[in-house]
Amino acid sequence: MTEAQAAPKAKTEKPPAIEDKPLGEFMEQDYLPALKTALVEAGLADVDLSFQKGSLPQSSMSCWQVKGLWAKGRRSFVLGFPEDRIQGLKVFACADAGVSPTNLEPFLSDERKITLPLLVFGVIRRLNGQKWLGWN
């Protein structure tokens, strides 16, 4: 037996998924740019996205959240992460006519594994449900 045949093959380690990054790093480096691109492609040219810690609508709970604002400030949404991780609890709220979002609803709560494309798709689907996207 040659030495190459006798030595067991070393397992190649998969690089960690981008979703395994710390929440802030994932949001700033990966999610916000991907979401901005998808929203612009959906017809929201003036969308402004931010990631910050703050109180959720109608709640005193403070958590990390993605905030979106467009239509000259008339429309907005909040995607909150009360557990400070993308695989944990997520909530969503949106508002029209320049008022603050009020009703919190579960966001992607039935999904077992949350990925970058799924998080982007979830917001697009939810805003499309409001008939706020260009093709509606």
Side-chain angles (χ1 to χ4, degrees):
M1 230 192 231
T2 67
E3 190 175 314
Q5 291 173 334
K9 289 186 178 182
K11 288 187 178 182
T12 57
E13 281 196 33
K14 285 196 298 188
I18 59 172
E19 293 86 2
D20 293 336
K21 291 180 181 178
L23 183 66
E25 187 178 321
F26 169 76
M27 288 295 164
E28 295 291 342
Q29 294 175 0
D30 304 300
Y31 185 65
L32 291 182
L35 182 59
K36 173 94 175 185
T37 299
L39 290 170
V40 168
E41 288 173 359
L44 303 182
D46 67 337
V47 68
D48 180 39
L49 297 174
S50 63
F51 179 66
Q52 59 197 35
K53 197 159 201 166
S55 294
L56 289 170
Q58 302 296 319
S59 170
S60 60
M61 179 190 304
S62 180
C63 70
W64 286 105
Q65 50 195 281
V66 172
K67 291 187 175 190
L69 187 66
W70 71 99
K72 298 179 182 171
R74 284 193 47 238
R75 291 187 171 158
S76 63
F77 74 86
V78 173
L79 173 58
F81 298 85
E83 296 179 0
D84 292 345
R85 58 192 189 94
I86 67 165
Q87 300 299 339
L89 176 68
K90 292 164 287 306
V91 294
F92 187 88
C94 58
D96 198 3
V99 297
S100 295
T102 55
N103 296 328
L104 286 177
E105 57 191 61
F107 184 77
L108 299 177
S109 59
D110 294 338
E111 303 298 328
R112 293 183 72 173
K113 181 170 176 157
I114 302 299
T115 62
L116 174 61
L118 183 59
L119 274 174
V120 171
F121 172 74
V123 171
I124 297 296
R125 180 181 64 188
R126 184 62 188 82
L127 297 178
N128 190 43
Q130 290 293 123
K131 303 217 181 290
W132 287 353
L133 299 181
W135 61 78
N136 247 331

